[in-house]
Amino acid sequence: SQQGEEDPQALSIQEGENATMNCSYKTSINNLQWYRQNSGRGLVHLILIRSNEREKHSGRLRVTLDTSKKSSSLLITASRAADTASYFCATATGGANSKLTFGKGITLSVRP
Amino acid sequence: DTGVSQDPRHKITKRGQNVTFRCDPISEHNRLYWYRQTLGQGPEFLTYFQNEAQLEKSRLLSDRFSAERPKGSFSTLEIQRTEQGDSAMYLCASSLALGNHGGYQPQHFGDGTRLSIL
């Protein structure tokens, strides 16, 4: 079953604009991760935020986590055409079992 | 850095046939996961190994599915008597679990095996 729900389902922006993607989840988590998937390829890990963290940055990526609202957002600044991909949030409940539960994903299109 | 490798990339087979996929994880990674992804959905967890031990199986993994990781290195996923509903992308991922805090480590994915059942 899918734990996370991303919003919006699809996003189309112009190169140079910022892209904001949201994710909500249902159960308590140990950490939340964002992945990118290009068409026909595997997933690439982007960033991990732990449940005791509120914000994290990595290059052009900024992720926030609000555990009281069970939600996270991913911001990609100064988007590029190469950012065109599907983006997934995934939650880990932690402990010995580190399986990830993914949402349905967001399709991001960046127009050159 | 050699990433996670999956073979074959594509598999087309007739309903009722058996298929086997292989995954070679990143060499120093002790955890290996299998996921299934259908069109328009996120990956769904199937099973995972810590070294050679299979520690959890999803209810999605019917008795037609079997996974092994005999020497704690590569893994195989076999589907017997394939059905139309088995058509999907099968993804393998690996990670380095540190003690009991495996959940803190990102997973590294292969490019998957796309299975099509005729």
Side-chain angles (χ1 to χ4, degrees), chain B residues 31-101:
Chain B
R31 285 204 175 176
L32 187 149
Y33 308 81
W34 285 99
Y35 294 85
R36 183 173 71 187
Q37 185 179 24
T38 53
L39 203 60
Q41 303 292 316
E44 293 179 292
F45 170 79
L46 293 178
T47 188
Y48 89 100
F49 294 82
Q50 173 130 345
N51 300 311
E52 65 274 10
Q54 188 174 17
L55 296 186
E56 184 173 340
K57 293 193 286 187
S58 161
R59 282 174 291 180
L60 291 174
L61 214 66
S62 76
D63 55 9
R64 295 185 299 105
F65 288 70
S66 63
E68 293 183 344
R69 194 183 183 198
K71 297 180 181 178
S73 56
F74 74 91
S75 175
T76 57
L77 178 67
E78 181 184 15
I79 309 174
Q80 295 183 326
R81 304 180 303 281
T82 52
E83 301 174 354
Q84 291 282 350
D86 297 332
S87 293
M89 173 83 89
Y90 289 84
L91 293 163
C92 175
S94 69
S95 71
L96 180 61
L98 305 174
N100 284 329
H101 298 292

Side-chain angles (χ1 to χ4, degrees), chain A residues 92-109:
Chain A
T93 53
N97 179 350
S98 57
K99 70 179 183 184
L100 295 174
T101 305
F102 287 84
K104 291 185 178 181
I106 298 169
T107 301
L108 173 66
S109 298

Side-chain angles (χ1 to χ4, degrees), chain B residues 102-114:
Chain B
Y104 286 99
Q105 304 304 315
Q107 295 180 18
H108 299 260
F109 282 79
D111 281 338
T113 294
R114 181 167 296 284

Side-chain angles (χ1 to χ4, degrees), chain A:
Chain A
S1 62
Q2 314 264 250
Q3 150 90 303
E5 282 192 19
E6 292 95 342
D7 171 61
Q9 290 188 341
L11 182 61
S12 181
I13 58 173
Q14 199 73 34
E15 203 166 28
E17 293 180 340
N18 296 341
T20 299
M21 291 170 268
N22 302 301
C23 167
S24 60
Y25 57 92
K26 297 172 186 170
T27 62
S28 295
I29 61 171
N30 176 287
N31 65 73
L32 185 144
Q33 303 176 34
W34 285 90
Y35 286 80
R36 184 187 76 224
Q37 184 177 36
N38 291 88
S39 181
R41 303 297 300 273
L43 285 81
V44 175
H45 179 263
L46 295 176
I47 195 164
L48 180 154
I49 186 165
R50 297 184 174 89
S51 58
N52 61 353
E53 296 175 316
R54 291 295 165 259
E55 187 171 316
K56 206 161 179 182
H57 297 254
S58 176
R60 294 185 295 115
L61 305 179
R62 172 178 168 256
V63 65
T64 62
L65 180 65
D66 186 335
T67 52
S68 66
K69 294 181 179 178
K70 292 187 168 60
S71 67
S72 172
S73 67
L74 174 68
L75 169 68
I76 304 174
T77 59
S79 63
R80 304 166 182 167
D83 294 328
T84 295
S86 293
Y87 291 80
F88 295 89
C89 71
T91 54
T93 53
N97 179 350
S98 57
K99 70 179 183 184
L100 295 174
T101 305
F102 287 84
K104 291 185 178 181
I106 298 169
T107 301
L108 173 66
S109 298
V110 181
R111 302 185 302 273

